[in-house]
Amino acid sequence: MSVLPAQLLPDNASVTADGRLQIAGVDILELAREFGTPLFVHDEDHIRARCRQAREAFPDGVAYASKAFLCRAIAELAHEEGMHIDVASGGEMHLALQAGVPADRLVLHGNNKSTAELRYALEQRVHRVVVDSFDELDRIEALVAEGLPAPRVLLRITPGVKANTHEFIQTGQDDSKFGFGVRVGHADRAIERAAASPAIELVGLHAHVGSQVFEVGSFEKVAEVLAGIFARFQAKTGPNARMEELCIGGGLGVAYVEGEADCGIVEWGQAVRRACAAAGISAKITAEPGRSIIASSAITLYTVGTIKDIPGVRTYVSVDGGMSDNPRPVLYGSGYETFLPRATDADRPKTIRLVGKHCESGDLLVREGLVPADIRVGDIISTPVTGAYGYSLGSNYNKVPRPAVVFVKDGQARQVIRRETWDDLLRLDC
Ligand SMILES: *Cc1c(COP(=O)(O)O)cnc(C)c1O
């Protein structure tokens, strides 16, 4: 027997007596008919529940890392739930502001913020600018010299901790484009410089070691390294330099496939805060989860277009999306489960390779997917846990229009991003 593990579905998923999937009381096959495919379907109350867990886990403050998935509706939702919003570009900042999120709820990140992005953030007086480099300190000082208000700053520290995750999403090791390295002495130099600069209101430090990290031990190592820095600098506070906050970043891993298990946001928060306390850090502990808020709230629906059996080799199932709506399998070799929402809890004896419609063989969604034996052309097929880094990392490759995104709650569906049209694809052409 290999049925889909039910814990990979959103919180409010249920299966009818005849096997059909519902989320928040909404029939999923009806949604596919109404909005077309590919379609992202998010369980809204699942996202809200994760935001509440995050706030409980980090009572001193927690931001939603919007790069995981950002649109007007999710910015509004995270703000309503009392989250700050972490933005990593002028575009993300603009979208959040346009969605009505006040600037003093925004945290700006980025290893290469432009002068224009910094100017926007300073003018708007965002909650925090997380400064990543000496060149950024130069740019901020120049803007403040022009008369802009001094920002409240966290310095991004690279603690020299290599998190156990894919190389492309490790960010805490010495050899990194991000932040001020501890081992090479950049961290101390940056703190001394920021503390002495009238253009900067230093409020603390930041460290983010990577994404899709399952081992709480990585966060414990960060706490130890940062504790040393806090101990050295905590006493040196002045009117413009306080060491009152440590933001531990995001990165909590989530389960994508059978056999994986994640510890959940509440336990993560407890472990992080325990590690910081044990290391002697008395600062406020804040965090920025992205994936763990949004990943498992969504499933993607596709329509099966062709099924190609190559005897003795494998069965290819091609769908109407692909690497343009979920590039994670191509980028990181990520795995997903597959199932048919018409037979959600059916046995899945057949192994297939789920591929997209793009013009390259690398366009694969699921290398080894399991499905019921009677899968046929026209079926709706789904991949769960696709709420994070799918739509946001997507593209228009092959001029394939971006999918629609729907939120379901209390038996109702609302479209939060409409499907792109072929005409939309021409809107930037001069
Ligand atoms: C990506 C990122 C996050 C969120 O990471 P998740 O793995 O999605 O939780 C938080 N902080 C920073 C600085 C990031 O770059």
PDB file of all heavy atoms in Angstrom, residues 294-328:
ATOM      1  N   ILE A 294       3.849  28.953   4.719  1.00  0.00           N
ATOM      2  CA  ILE A 294       2.999  28.904   3.517  1.00  0.00           C
ATOM      3  C   ILE A 294       3.111  27.615   2.698  1.00  0.00           C
ATOM      4  O   ILE A 294       2.196  27.302   1.935  1.00  0.00           O
ATOM      5  CB  ILE A 294       3.335  30.147   2.622  1.00  0.00           C
ATOM      6  CG1 ILE A 294       2.268  30.431   1.582  1.00  0.00           C
ATOM      7  CG2 ILE A 294       4.675  30.029   1.953  1.00  0.00           C
ATOM      8  CD1 ILE A 294       1.206  31.349   2.052  1.00  0.00           C
ATOM      9  N   ALA A 295       4.204  26.857   2.859  1.00  0.00           N
ATOM     10  CA  ALA A 295       4.431  25.736   1.924  1.00  0.00           C
ATOM     11  C   ALA A 295       3.282  24.733   1.923  1.00  0.00           C
ATOM     12  O   ALA A 295       2.713  24.426   0.871  1.00  0.00           O
ATOM     13  CB  ALA A 295       5.751  25.028   2.236  1.00  0.00           C
ATOM     14  N   SER A 296       2.935  24.217   3.099  1.00  0.00           N
ATOM     15  CA  SER A 296       1.970  23.115   3.102  1.00  0.00           C
ATOM     16  C   SER A 296       0.522  23.597   3.093  1.00  0.00           C
ATOM     17  O   SER A 296      -0.403  22.791   3.191  1.00  0.00           O
ATOM     18  CB  SER A 296       2.230  22.179   4.286  1.00  0.00           C
ATOM     19  OG  SER A 296       2.198  22.905   5.490  1.00  0.00           O
ATOM     20  N   SER A 297       0.321  24.918   2.945  1.00  0.00           N
ATOM     21  CA  SER A 297      -1.050  25.425   2.830  1.00  0.00           C
ATOM     22  C   SER A 297      -1.628  25.186   1.442  1.00  0.00           C
ATOM     23  O   SER A 297      -2.827  25.355   1.247  1.00  0.00           O
ATOM     24  CB  SER A 297      -1.098  26.927   3.122  1.00  0.00           C
ATOM     25  OG  SER A 297      -0.540  27.677   2.059  1.00  0.00           O
ATOM     26  N   ALA A 298      -0.776  24.850   0.467  1.00  0.00           N
ATOM     27  CA  ALA A 298      -1.249  24.807  -0.926  1.00  0.00           C
ATOM     28  C   ALA A 298      -0.975  23.489  -1.617  1.00  0.00           C
ATOM     29  O   ALA A 298      -0.033  22.769  -1.285  1.00  0.00           O
ATOM     30  CB  ALA A 298      -0.604  25.931  -1.731  1.00  0.00           C
ATOM     31  N   ILE A 299      -1.839  23.217  -2.588  1.00  0.00           N
ATOM     32  CA  ILE A 299      -1.573  22.146  -3.547  1.00  0.00           C
ATOM     33  C   ILE A 299      -1.656  22.777  -4.941  1.00  0.00           C
ATOM     34  O   ILE A 299      -2.244  23.841  -5.116  1.00  0.00           O
ATOM     35  CB  ILE A 299      -2.574  20.978  -3.439  1.00  0.00           C
ATOM     36  CG1 ILE A 299      -3.995  21.433  -3.823  1.00  0.00           C
ATOM     37  CG2 ILE A 299      -2.587  20.404  -2.024  1.00  0.00           C
ATOM     38  CD1 ILE A 299      -4.990  20.273  -3.926  1.00  0.00           C
ATOM     39  N   THR A 300      -0.991  22.144  -5.903  1.00  0.00           N
ATOM     40  CA  THR A 300      -1.132  22.581  -7.294  1.00  0.00           C
ATOM     41  C   THR A 300      -1.954  21.542  -8.044  1.00  0.00           C
ATOM     42  O   THR A 300      -1.791  20.332  -7.817  1.00  0.00           O
ATOM     43  CB  THR A 300       0.246  22.721  -7.972  1.00  0.00           C
ATOM     44  OG1 THR A 300       1.064  23.565  -7.173  1.00  0.00           O
ATOM     45  CG2 THR A 300       0.115  23.325  -9.369  1.00  0.00           C
ATOM     46  N   LEU A 301      -2.851  22.034  -8.902  1.00  0.00           N
ATOM     47  CA  LEU A 301      -3.655  21.144  -9.752  1.00  0.00           C
ATOM     48  C   LEU A 301      -3.200  21.294 -11.195  1.00  0.00           C
ATOM     49  O   LEU A 301      -3.018  22.420 -11.684  1.00  0.00           O
ATOM     50  CB  LEU A 301      -5.133  21.521  -9.661  1.00  0.00           C
ATOM     51  CG  LEU A 301      -5.755  21.564  -8.275  1.00  0.00           C
ATOM     52  CD1 LEU A 301      -7.211  22.032  -8.364  1.00  0.00           C
ATOM     53  CD2 LEU A 301      -5.673  20.199  -7.613  1.00  0.00           C
ATOM     54  N   TYR A 302      -2.997  20.181 -11.853  1.00  0.00           N
ATOM     55  CA  TYR A 302      -2.660  20.165 -13.277  1.00  0.00           C
ATOM     56  C   TYR A 302      -3.636  19.238 -13.990  1.00  0.00           C
ATOM     57  O   TYR A 302      -4.224  18.346 -13.369  1.00  0.00           O
ATOM     58  CB  TYR A 302      -1.259  19.588 -13.496  1.00  0.00           C
ATOM     59  CG  TYR A 302      -0.110  20.279 -12.804  1.00  0.00           C
ATOM     60  CD1 TYR A 302       0.427  19.753 -11.625  1.00  0.00           C
ATOM     61  CD2 TYR A 302       0.486  21.417 -13.341  1.00  0.00           C
ATOM     62  CE1 TYR A 302       1.510  20.358 -10.996  1.00  0.00           C
ATOM     63  CE2 TYR A 302       1.571  22.025 -12.722  1.00  0.00           C
ATOM     64  CZ  TYR A 302       2.074  21.492 -11.543  1.00  0.00           C
ATOM     65  OH  TYR A 302       3.158  22.089 -10.932  1.00  0.00           O
ATOM     66  N   THR A 303      -3.734  19.400 -15.311  1.00  0.00           N
ATOM     67  CA  THR A 303      -4.496  18.441 -16.112  1.00  0.00           C
ATOM     68  C   THR A 303      -3.519  17.552 -16.880  1.00  0.00           C
ATOM     69  O   THR A 303      -2.566  18.053 -17.494  1.00  0.00           O
ATOM     70  CB  THR A 303      -5.420  19.174 -17.107  1.00  0.00           C
ATOM     71  OG1 THR A 303      -6.289  20.032 -16.368  1.00  0.00           O
ATOM     72  CG2 THR A 303      -6.253  18.181 -17.914  1.00  0.00           C
ATOM     73  N   VAL A 304      -3.775  16.256 -16.815  1.00  0.00           N
ATOM     74  CA  VAL A 304      -2.941  15.308 -17.553  1.00  0.00           C
ATOM     75  C   VAL A 304      -3.260  15.441 -19.042  1.00  0.00           C
ATOM     76  O   VAL A 304      -4.423  15.315 -19.447  1.00  0.00           O
ATOM     77  CB  VAL A 304      -3.210  13.862 -17.082  1.00  0.00           C
ATOM     78  CG1 VAL A 304      -2.470  12.855 -17.968  1.00  0.00           C
ATOM     79  CG2 VAL A 304      -2.828  13.694 -15.619  1.00  0.00           C
ATOM     80  N   GLY A 305      -2.221  15.712 -19.847  1.00  0.00           N
ATOM     81  CA  GLY A 305      -2.435  15.898 -21.287  1.00  0.00           C
ATOM     82  C   GLY A 305      -2.000  14.694 -22.110  1.00  0.00           C
ATOM     83  O   GLY A 305      -2.705  14.282 -23.029  1.00  0.00           O
ATOM     84  N   THR A 306      -0.860  14.135 -21.793  1.00  0.00           N
ATOM     85  CA  THR A 306      -0.413  12.945 -22.519  1.00  0.00           C
ATOM     86  C   THR A 306       0.199  11.944 -21.541  1.00  0.00           C
ATOM     87  O   THR A 306       0.760  12.328 -20.515  1.00  0.00           O
ATOM     88  CB  THR A 306       0.669  13.271 -23.593  1.00  0.00           C
ATOM     89  OG1 THR A 306       1.858  13.710 -22.933  1.00  0.00           O
ATOM     90  CG2 THR A 306       0.211  14.352 -24.554  1.00  0.00           C
ATOM     91  N   ILE A 307       0.048  10.693 -21.860  1.00  0.00           N
ATOM     92  CA  ILE A 307       0.681   9.619 -21.074  1.00  0.00           C
ATOM     93  C   ILE A 307       1.470   8.773 -22.056  1.00  0.00           C
ATOM     94  O   ILE A 307       0.916   8.253 -23.023  1.00  0.00           O
ATOM     95  CB  ILE A 307      -0.381   8.751 -20.356  1.00  0.00           C
ATOM     96  CG1 ILE A 307      -1.199   9.626 -19.381  1.00  0.00           C
ATOM     97  CG2 ILE A 307       0.288   7.604 -19.605  1.00  0.00           C
ATOM     98  CD1 ILE A 307      -2.319   8.869 -18.657  1.00  0.00           C
ATOM     99  N   LYS A 308       2.769   8.702 -21.825  1.00  0.00           N
ATOM    100  CA  LYS A 308       3.621   7.959 -22.756  1.00  0.00           C
ATOM    101  C   LYS A 308       4.317   6.831 -22.014  1.00  0.00           C
ATOM    102  O   LYS A 308       5.120   7.076 -21.120  1.00  0.00           O
ATOM    103  CB  LYS A 308       4.661   8.911 -23.350  1.00  0.00           C
ATOM    104  CG  LYS A 308       5.696   8.243 -24.221  1.00  0.00           C
ATOM    105  CD  LYS A 308       6.645   9.283 -24.804  1.00  0.00           C
ATOM    106  CE  LYS A 308       7.825   8.620 -25.492  1.00  0.00           C
ATOM    107  NZ  LYS A 308       8.687   9.602 -26.151  1.00  0.00           N
ATOM    108  N   ASP A 309       3.960   5.607 -22.389  1.00  0.00           N
ATOM    109  CA  ASP A 309       4.569   4.414 -21.791  1.00  0.00           C
ATOM    110  C   ASP A 309       5.723   3.981 -22.657  1.00  0.00           C
ATOM    111  O   ASP A 309       5.514   3.650 -23.816  1.00  0.00           O
ATOM    112  CB  ASP A 309       3.519   3.278 -21.815  1.00  0.00           C
ATOM    113  CG  ASP A 309       2.997   2.988 -20.435  1.00  0.00           C
ATOM    114  OD1 ASP A 309       3.821   2.898 -19.510  1.00  0.00           O
ATOM    115  OD2 ASP A 309       1.763   2.848 -20.297  1.00  0.00           O
ATOM    116  N   ILE A 310       6.937   3.977 -22.142  1.00  0.00           N
ATOM    117  CA  ILE A 310       8.057   3.422 -22.911  1.00  0.00           C
ATOM    118  C   ILE A 310       8.368   2.072 -22.285  1.00  0.00           C
ATOM    119  O   ILE A 310       8.868   2.011 -21.165  1.00  0.00           O
ATOM    120  CB  ILE A 310       9.294   4.336 -22.850  1.00  0.00           C
ATOM    121  CG1 ILE A 310       8.917   5.787 -23.194  1.00  0.00           C
ATOM    122  CG2 ILE A 310      10.369   3.819 -23.805  1.00  0.00           C
ATOM    123  CD1 ILE A 310      10.073   6.753 -23.058  1.00  0.00           C
ATOM    124  N   PRO A 311       8.019   0.993 -22.995  1.00  0.00           N
ATOM    125  CA  PRO A 311       8.146  -0.336 -22.382  1.00  0.00           C
ATOM    126  C   PRO A 311       9.552  -0.573 -21.857  1.00  0.00           C
ATOM    127  O   PRO A 311      10.544  -0.300 -22.548  1.00  0.00           O
ATOM    128  CB  PRO A 311       7.815  -1.293 -23.526  1.00  0.00           C
ATOM    129  CG  PRO A 311       6.985  -0.468 -24.477  1.00  0.00           C
ATOM    130  CD  PRO A 311       7.517   0.933 -24.367  1.00  0.00           C
ATOM    131  N   GLY A 312       9.632  -1.025 -20.628  1.00  0.00           N
ATOM    132  CA  GLY A 312      10.921  -1.344 -20.020  1.00  0.00           C
ATOM    133  C   GLY A 312      11.683  -0.116 -19.566  1.00  0.00           C
ATOM    134  O   GLY A 312      12.788  -0.235 -19.033  1.00  0.00           O
ATOM    135  N   VAL A 313      11.173   1.075 -19.811  1.00  0.00           N
ATOM    136  CA  VAL A 313      11.885   2.292 -19.403  1.00  0.00           C
ATOM    137  C   VAL A 313      11.074   3.005 -18.319  1.00  0.00           C
ATOM    138  O   VAL A 313      11.372   2.900 -17.141  1.00  0.00           O
ATOM    139  CB  VAL A 313      12.167   3.216 -20.608  1.00  0.00           C
ATOM    140  CG1 VAL A 313      12.916   4.476 -20.177  1.00  0.00           C
ATOM    141  CG2 VAL A 313      12.996   2.462 -21.652  1.00  0.00           C
ATOM    142  N   ARG A 314      10.035   3.724 -18.731  1.00  0.00           N
ATOM    143  CA  ARG A 314       9.197   4.393 -17.722  1.00  0.00           C
ATOM    144  C   ARG A 314       7.951   4.955 -18.388  1.00  0.00           C
ATOM    145  O   ARG A 314       7.837   4.948 -19.617  1.00  0.00           O
ATOM    146  CB  ARG A 314       9.963   5.511 -17.022  1.00  0.00           C
ATOM    147  CG  ARG A 314      10.218   6.741 -17.893  1.00  0.00           C
ATOM    148  CD  ARG A 314      10.928   7.861 -17.127  1.00  0.00           C
ATOM    149  NE  ARG A 314      12.342   7.561 -16.928  1.00  0.00           N
ATOM    150  CZ  ARG A 314      12.870   7.178 -15.780  1.00  0.00           C
ATOM    151  NH1 ARG A 314      12.104   7.043 -14.717  1.00  0.00           N
ATOM    152  NH2 ARG A 314      14.158   6.911 -15.680  1.00  0.00           N
ATOM    153  N   THR A 315       7.054   5.494 -17.548  1.00  0.00           N
ATOM    154  CA  THR A 315       5.853   6.170 -18.038  1.00  0.00           C
ATOM    155  C   THR A 315       5.990   7.659 -17.764  1.00  0.00           C
ATOM    156  O   THR A 315       6.196   8.067 -16.619  1.00  0.00           O
ATOM    157  CB  THR A 315       4.600   5.626 -17.327  1.00  0.00           C
ATOM    158  OG1 THR A 315       4.504   4.228 -17.588  1.00  0.00           O
ATOM    159  CG2 THR A 315       3.339   6.326 -17.828  1.00  0.00           C
ATOM    160  N   TYR A 316       5.895   8.448 -18.832  1.00  0.00           N
ATOM    161  CA  TYR A 316       5.886   9.898 -18.682  1.00  0.00           C
ATOM    162  C   TYR A 316       4.447  10.395 -18.664  1.00  0.00           C
ATOM    163  O   TYR A 316       3.668  10.089 -19.568  1.00  0.00           O
ATOM    164  CB  TYR A 316       6.593  10.577 -19.866  1.00  0.00           C
ATOM    165  CG  TYR A 316       8.103  10.512 -19.806  1.00  0.00           C
ATOM    166  CD1 TYR A 316       8.800   9.508 -20.479  1.00  0.00           C
ATOM    167  CD2 TYR A 316       8.824  11.467 -19.099  1.00  0.00           C
ATOM    168  CE1 TYR A 316      10.191   9.456 -20.435  1.00  0.00           C
ATOM    169  CE2 TYR A 316      10.214  11.417 -19.046  1.00  0.00           C
ATOM    170  CZ  TYR A 316      10.892  10.414 -19.720  1.00  0.00           C
ATOM    171  OH  TYR A 316      12.257  10.359 -19.672  1.00  0.00           O
ATOM    172  N   VAL A 317       4.117  11.182 -17.640  1.00  0.00           N
ATOM    173  CA  VAL A 317       2.809  11.851 -17.597  1.00  0.00           C
ATOM    174  C   VAL A 317       3.076  13.339 -17.758  1.00  0.00           C
ATOM    175  O   VAL A 317       3.764  13.951 -16.941  1.00  0.00           O
ATOM    176  CB  VAL A 317       2.082  11.556 -16.271  1.00  0.00           C
ATOM    177  CG1 VAL A 317       0.807  12.398 -16.148  1.00  0.00           C
ATOM    178  CG2 VAL A 317       1.745  10.062 -16.168  1.00  0.00           C
ATOM    179  N   SER A 318       2.574  13.915 -18.852  1.00  0.00           N
ATOM    180  CA  SER A 318       2.811  15.342 -19.117  1.00  0.00           C
ATOM    181  C   SER A 318       1.598  16.156 -18.708  1.00  0.00           C
ATOM    182  O   SER A 318       0.459  15.800 -19.018  1.00  0.00           O
ATOM    183  CB  SER A 318       3.064  15.582 -20.611  1.00  0.00           C
ATOM    184  OG  SER A 318       4.204  14.895 -21.036  1.00  0.00           O
ATOM    185  N   VAL A 319       1.885  17.291 -18.046  1.00  0.00           N
ATOM    186  CA  VAL A 319       0.797  18.162 -17.591  1.00  0.00           C
ATOM    187  C   VAL A 319       0.932  19.550 -18.201  1.00  0.00           C
ATOM    188  O   VAL A 319       1.923  19.867 -18.875  1.00  0.00           O
ATOM    189  CB  VAL A 319       0.766  18.242 -16.048  1.00  0.00           C
ATOM    190  CG1 VAL A 319       0.429  16.880 -15.451  1.00  0.00           C
ATOM    191  CG2 VAL A 319       2.060  18.798 -15.494  1.00  0.00           C
ATOM    192  N   ASP A 320      -0.068  20.396 -17.915  1.00  0.00           N
ATOM    193  CA  ASP A 320      -0.167  21.706 -18.565  1.00  0.00           C
ATOM    194  C   ASP A 320       0.613  22.813 -17.856  1.00  0.00           C
ATOM    195  O   ASP A 320       0.381  23.993 -18.087  1.00  0.00           O
ATOM    196  CB  ASP A 320      -1.654  22.098 -18.700  1.00  0.00           C
ATOM    197  CG  ASP A 320      -2.452  21.918 -17.411  1.00  0.00           C
ATOM    198  OD1 ASP A 320      -1.883  21.417 -16.411  1.00  0.00           O
ATOM    199  OD2 ASP A 320      -3.640  22.271 -17.408  1.00  0.00           O
ATOM    200  N   GLY A 321       1.547  22.433 -16.974  1.00  0.00           N
ATOM    201  CA  GLY A 321       2.435  23.421 -16.335  1.00  0.00           C
ATOM    202  C   GLY A 321       3.844  22.910 -16.423  1.00  0.00           C
ATOM    203  O   GLY A 321       4.251  22.391 -17.456  1.00  0.00           O
ATOM    204  N   GLY A 322       4.596  23.054 -15.316  1.00  0.00           N
ATOM    205  CA  GLY A 322       5.956  22.526 -15.323  1.00  0.00           C
ATOM    206  C   GLY A 322       6.917  23.445 -14.604  1.00  0.00           C
ATOM    207  O   GLY A 322       6.552  24.120 -13.626  1.00  0.00           O
ATOM    208  N   MET A 323       8.160  23.532 -15.116  1.00  0.00           N
ATOM    209  CA  MET A 323       9.197  24.313 -14.436  1.00  0.00           C
ATOM    210  C   MET A 323       8.847  25.801 -14.365  1.00  0.00           C
ATOM    211  O   MET A 323       9.443  26.522 -13.577  1.00  0.00           O
ATOM    212  CB  MET A 323      10.560  24.120 -15.114  1.00  0.00           C
ATOM    213  CG  MET A 323      10.600  24.577 -16.539  1.00  0.00           C
ATOM    214  SD  MET A 323      12.065  23.973 -17.431  1.00  0.00           S
ATOM    215  CE  MET A 323      13.353  24.965 -16.687  1.00  0.00           C
ATOM    216  N   SER A 324       7.873  26.247 -15.128  1.00  0.00           N
ATOM    217  CA  SER A 324       7.473  27.658 -15.052  1.00  0.00           C
ATOM    218  C   SER A 324       6.605  27.946 -13.828  1.00  0.00           C
ATOM    219  O   SER A 324       6.552  29.082 -13.373  1.00  0.00           O
ATOM    220  CB  SER A 324       6.719  28.075 -16.320  1.00  0.00           C
ATOM    221  OG  SER A 324       5.607  27.229 -16.531  1.00  0.00           O
ATOM    222  N   ASP A 325       5.927  26.940 -13.270  1.00  0.00           N
ATOM    223  CA  ASP A 325       5.164  27.190 -12.041  1.00  0.00           C
ATOM    224  C   ASP A 325       5.819  26.559 -10.827  1.00  0.00           C
ATOM    225  O   ASP A 325       5.473  26.895  -9.697  1.00  0.00           O
ATOM    226  CB  ASP A 325       3.702  26.719 -12.177  1.00  0.00           C
ATOM    227  CG  ASP A 325       3.593  25.239 -12.460  1.00  0.00           C
ATOM    228  OD1 ASP A 325       3.772  24.449 -11.535  1.00  0.00           O
ATOM    229  OD2 ASP A 325       3.331  24.861 -13.636  1.00  0.00           O
ATOM    230  N   ASN A 326       6.766  25.646 -11.038  1.00  0.00           N
ATOM    231  CA  ASN A 326       7.506  25.071  -9.909  1.00  0.00           C
ATOM    232  C   ASN A 326       8.908  24.666 -10.341  1.00  0.00           C
ATOM    233  O   ASN A 326       9.151  23.519 -10.712  1.00  0.00           O
ATOM    234  CB  ASN A 326       6.771  23.876  -9.314  1.00  0.00           C
ATOM    235  CG  ASN A 326       7.463  23.392  -8.045  1.00  0.00           C
ATOM    236  OD1 ASN A 326       8.468  23.977  -7.612  1.00  0.00           O
ATOM    237  ND2 ASN A 326       6.947  22.342  -7.451  1.00  0.00           N
ATOM    238  N   PRO A 327       9.859  25.601 -10.257  1.00  0.00           N
ATOM    239  CA  PRO A 327      11.227  25.273 -10.678  1.00  0.00           C
ATOM    240  C   PRO A 327      12.053  24.566  -9.604  1.00  0.00           C
ATOM    241  O   PRO A 327      13.211  24.233  -9.846  1.00  0.00           O
ATOM    242  CB  PRO A 327      11.833  26.647 -11.001  1.00  0.00           C
ATOM    243  CG  PRO A 327      11.020  27.639 -10.285  1.00  0.00           C
ATOM    244  CD  PRO A 327       9.679  27.025  -9.945  1.00  0.00           C
ATOM    245  N   ARG A 328      11.482  24.284  -8.442  1.00  0.00           N
ATOM    246  CA  ARG A 328      12.292  23.694  -7.366  1.00  0.00           C
ATOM    247  C   ARG A 328      12.886  22.334  -7.732  1.00  0.00           C
ATOM    248  O   ARG A 328      14.040  22.062  -7.418  1.00  0.00           O
ATOM    249  CB  ARG A 328      11.490  23.590  -6.056  1.00  0.00           C
ATOM    250  CG  ARG A 328      11.152  24.948  -5.455  1.00  0.00           C
ATOM    251  CD  ARG A 328      10.531  24.838  -4.063  1.00  0.00           C
ATOM    252  NE  ARG A 328      11.459  24.302  -3.089  1.00  0.00           N
ATOM    253  CZ  ARG A 328      11.433  23.085  -2.588  1.00  0.00           C
ATOM    254  NH1 ARG A 328      10.480  22.234  -2.948  1.00  0.00           N
ATOM    255  NH2 ARG A 328      12.335  22.689  -1.728  1.00  0.00           N
TER     256      ARG A 328
END
